[in-house]
Every structure is written in C-alpha cells, then in structure tokens.
C-alpha cells in the first residue's frame, strides 16, 4: 500500500510526538511581487523574473526557489503554469518516496504538511480526499503514490524527464498546510492565485487505477 488515511487518533499521537521533540515548523511561504507598474500582488507560486521584484514573506522560503530566475527558461514557464504541490504527513514512507521521485526528476515543488484535523479537512476540500501523499499539478490532484501516473501527468504538463535544476539548487522546507493564525490579505491572495492555476493535461494513455497509499 502507498496511501495513508488520516485518522484523528494517529493525528493526536503525531502532534504529541512533535511537541515532545520541540519541533518548530515554519509558517507558510508566500511571496510579495512588485510589478514593473508598481502594482503589488501576493502569491505562493514561483514568480518569474518578468513579474517584477520578488520578496519572500516567510523565512522558510528558500532563496533558490523564490528566485526563479535561477531556473532554466523552460522550467520557469512550466512551473508558472502548472505549479506542483506535495501534501504529506509525518512518518509516511510513501510520502518519502514521493518526495524522492520529484527531487530525482528535478521538479520544483512546494510541500505542505498535514498536522492537525483542520489540515486534514483542508486537504479534503482541496483534493477530495484525506490521502497522503497527494500531488497537485496545477489544479489536477493525484491521490496516492503511483510513479507511472505521476510521471505521465508531469510529462503532459511539460516537466522534463531528467533534472535541469542548476547546481546547488535547494528545495524549500515543508510547511504546515494551514496558517496558525487568522487569514491575512496575503494568504487570501495566495489562495486566489492557486485557484487560477491550470490543471495538468491528462496523459495520452489511459489513466491507471487509483494508487495505494496512506490515509490520514
């Protein structure tokens, strides 16, 4: 099995373990973009160099990811049109394998951790399930790790099969799925930006059956 179902009992145990370890997770990474015309926008998608001046709004935003000018032109184009988000939970081997697949292929992605019941409900609203790992390419959700299916959708979206990331590229750290405070104007703008992303085009071949995984 390669899919986890998110249960309240499992969730409570994870939160207690994280608390005991004193683990402090960073806030959600967002970007402030000042366009050439002076217009200010907020987004959690990777801005391109032509978008204007980019300022990370969270310390968790990795400079290599925020500065998409370091990416090859083709990769900048596809990440702007079909941003990739990976939804994971702690202690999840399929999630580890999913992360490895994206990194080996060189796909820039944002990782969101499901840590609370609120996170699990948000994941269900966003993707239609509480499965982990779940991948979204644009607005296309892929539930459970299925390498053949994931690669087919990444191919259709235009992501290269082999990594074209620059030497020394560092992926950003995982951040909680939901903010631990009242929604801000920036968070609302970021949600609107996500809603405008296009779903990945389906692969030419028939879709494989749903992949196994872990359900929260």
């Amino acid at each position: 099995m390669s899919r986890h179902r998110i249960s309240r009992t499992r969730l409570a145990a994870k939160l207690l373990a994280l608390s005991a370890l004193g683990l402090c997770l960073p806030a959600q990474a967002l970007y402030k973009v000042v366009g050439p015309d002076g217009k200010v926008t907020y987004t959690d998608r990777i801005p391109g160099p032509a978008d204007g001046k980019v300022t990370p709004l969270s310390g968790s935003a990795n400079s290599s990811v925020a500065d998409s000018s370091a990416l090859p032109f083709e990769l900048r184009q596809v990440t702007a049109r079909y941003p990739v988000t990976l939804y994971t939970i702690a202690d999840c081997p399929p999630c580890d394998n999913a992360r490895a697949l994206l990194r080996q292929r060189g796909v820039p992605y944002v990782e969101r951790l499901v840590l609370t019941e609120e996170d699990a409900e948000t994941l269900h609203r966003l993707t239609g399930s509480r499965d982990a790992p779940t991948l979204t390419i644009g607005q296309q959700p892929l539930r459970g790790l299925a390498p053949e299916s994931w690669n087919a959708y990444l191919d259709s979206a235009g992501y290269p099969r082999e990594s074209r990331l620059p030497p020394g590229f560092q992926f950003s750290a995982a951040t909680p799925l939901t903010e631990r405070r009242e929604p801000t104007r920036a968070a609302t703008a970021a949600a609107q930006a996500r809603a405008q992303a296009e779903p990945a085009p389906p692969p030419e071949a028939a879709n494989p059956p749903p992949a196994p995984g872990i359900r929260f």
Side-chain angles (χ1 to χ4, degrees):
M1 299 292 288
S2 300
R3 183 187 311 173
H4 281 296
R5 174 71 174 179
I6 304 170
S7 67
R8 287 180 173 84
T9 301
R10 180 183 176 89
L11 176 61
K14 290 181 184 298
L15 290 175
L16 287 174
L18 291 173
S19 176
L21 291 173
L23 178 61
C24 180
L25 294 170
Q28 182 179 5
L30 297 172
Y31 306 105
K32 175 182 177 182
V33 182
V34 180
D37 58 355
K39 181 180 179 180
V40 179
T41 57
Y42 297 89
T43 181
D44 64 353
R45 296 172 59 182
I46 302 174
D51 294 331
K53 181 180 179 182
V54 179
T55 303
L57 297 180
S58 168
S60 65
N62 183 278
S63 60
S64 296
V65 176
D67 183 12
S68 63
S69 61
L71 299 176
F73 176 77
E74 179 185 359
L75 204 50
R76 291 203 307 270
Q77 293 294 98
V78 69
T79 55
R81 189 174 184 186
Y82 301 117
V84 172
T85 302
L86 176 65
Y87 299 94
T88 63
I89 61 176
D91 301 323
C92 168
C95 299
D96 296 337
N97 294 334
R99 192 180 299 110
L101 182 154
L102 295 174
R103 295 190 176 200
Q104 182 176 5
R105 180 160 174 163
V107 176
Y109 68 94
V110 172
E111 183 173 348
R112 296 288 182 252
L113 278 169
V114 179
L115 297 172
T116 67
E117 181 61 25
E118 180 185 3
D119 291 342
E121 290 299 328
T122 299
L123 177 64
H124 187 270
R125 289 196 301 270
L126 290 172
T127 68
S129 78
R130 298 161 65 101
D131 297 332
T134 287
L135 188 74
T136 58
I137 307 174
Q139 293 299 299
Q140 175 65 53
L142 302 175
R143 307 176 187 93
L145 175 59
E148 182 179 351
S149 177
W150 284 26
N151 280 317
Y153 272 95
L154 289 168
D155 289 344
S156 296
Y159 283 94
R161 270 279 177 169
E162 297 184 358
S163 178
R164 297 184 184 175
L165 296 175
F169 180 89
Q170 295 183 353
F171 291 91
S172 59
T175 59
L177 177 54
T178 56
E179 295 281 355
R180 301 295 178 258
R181 56 181 179 272
E182 291 299 317
T184 63
R185 185 180 303 175
T188 301
Q192 294 174 345
R194 286 196 300 272
Q196 295 173 357
E198 300 180 47
E204 295 182 1
N207 293 338
I214 300 174
R215 184 160 286 186
F216 207 92

